[in-house]
Amino acid sequence: MPDLTPADGDRPGRGGRPRDPSRDGAIRAAILQVLAESGYTGLTMDAVASAAGVGKATIYRRWRTKSDLVADAVAELSQVPVDSPDTGNLEGDLRVLLHWLVGAVNGPVGAATLSLLSALPHEPALREAFQTGPMELWRQAFTAVWARAGERGEVPTDVVGSALSSTASAPILQRWLFSGQPVPIDFVDEVLAEVVLPLVNCRARVA
C-alpha cells in the first residue's frame, strides 16, 4: 500500500503567508492523527499544534478556521497518485486495488474520514475536498481497471460506470463504514469470489 501521508509542499495556505515546507508534512500528519483520536468535534488548533510539535501561531498563519485546516489537509491527499494495477486480467487488477483500498480504510486516512462523516453535510469545503481528493483518486483507479477489462474483452465496454462496476468496492466500504472494525484483508478474496466474478461471468454470458 502506498504511503498516504502527503509530501511537503510550498504553496500558500488558505490563511496567509507562504508555508514553511519543513513543517507542512508534520502538520498534515498531526491533523489526521487528532481526527482519528478525537474526531472532528475534538479537533482544535491547540491539539494539532501539540501533535505536530509546533506553536499554535504556526497553525493560524496557515489557516483561519478549523474547517479550512482540515479541508486543505484532505485536499493534499490528491497529490499522492493511486497507481491503477495492470496484471493482465480483471481479477488480478481488482485484487491488487482492493487490497490497497483495505489498507487505506484501515489506516490513518480511513480513521480520519470516519470521524469527519457527520460534519460533511454541514461543511461544504470539507465535502468538496473529499470529492475532488481521495474519492476522485479511488474512482479514477477503479474506472481504469474496468476500462482495461473492457478493452481486453473480459467485460462489455458499457460496464464502466455501471452498478456492476461498483460491486467490487461497495461491500468493503459498507463494512468499513458500518462495522466500526478494521476490514480483514481476506474479505477481498471473499468479495471477488462470491460477488464480483460471478456477476461478471453472468454479464458476459448475457452480452
Side-chain angles (χ1 to χ4, degrees):
M1 167 188 170
D3 183 5
L4 289 184
T5 301
D8 285 345
D10 58 3
R11 66 181 179 83
R14 294 174 182 263
R17 72 179 64 176
R19 295 177 174 176
D20 177 356
S22 68
R23 296 183 177 181
D24 279 1
I27 294 172
R28 295 186 194 116
I31 295 168
L32 296 181
Q33 176 187 332
V34 175
L35 282 172
E37 294 174 352
S38 305
Y40 185 71
T41 57
L43 182 76
T44 65
M45 300 297 199
D46 285 333
V48 171
S50 177
V54 300
K56 187 165 64 172
T58 300
I59 306 296
Y60 278 108
R61 280 197 295 266
R62 288 158 169 77
W63 301 280
R64 293 188 182 94
T65 67
K66 178 172 75 171
S67 178
D68 284 345
L69 179 149
V70 177
D72 195 57
V74 171
E76 285 292 342
L77 295 175
S78 64
Q79 303 304 312
V80 181
V82 179
D83 291 331
S84 183
D86 189 1
T87 65
N89 62 77
L90 177 62
E91 180 179 358
D93 288 353
L94 287 176
R95 194 180 308 279
V96 171
L97 193 54
L98 291 173
H99 277 219
W100 177 88
L101 179 60
V102 167
V105 300
N106 286 343
V109 172
T113 300
L114 284 176
S115 73
L116 287 171
L117 288 180
S118 62
L120 292 183
H122 314 289
E123 297 282 356
L126 291 182
R127 187 165 60 249
E128 181 181 0
F130 270 107
Q131 291 173 347
T132 60
M135 296 306 295
E136 178 63 14
L137 287 177
W138 297 357
R139 187 196 66 78
Q140 290 177 1
F142 278 99
T143 295
V145 163
W146 285 101
R148 277 198 297 270
E151 293 168 0
R152 291 191 295 258
E154 294 180 89
V155 297
T157 55
D158 62 358
V159 163
V160 177
S162 69
L164 174 56
S165 67
S166 70
T167 58
S169 59
I172 292 172
L173 295 176
Q174 181 182 39
R175 182 160 180 170
W176 165 60
L177 288 170
F178 293 109
S179 73
Q181 300 294 325
V183 180
I185 198 68
D186 57 7
F187 186 59
V188 168
D189 297 324
E190 185 179 349
V191 168
L192 284 174
E194 299 184 11
V195 180
V196 182
L197 296 180
L199 287 175
V200 167
N201 293 333
C202 181
R203 180 68 172 81
R205 286 196 298 269
V206 171

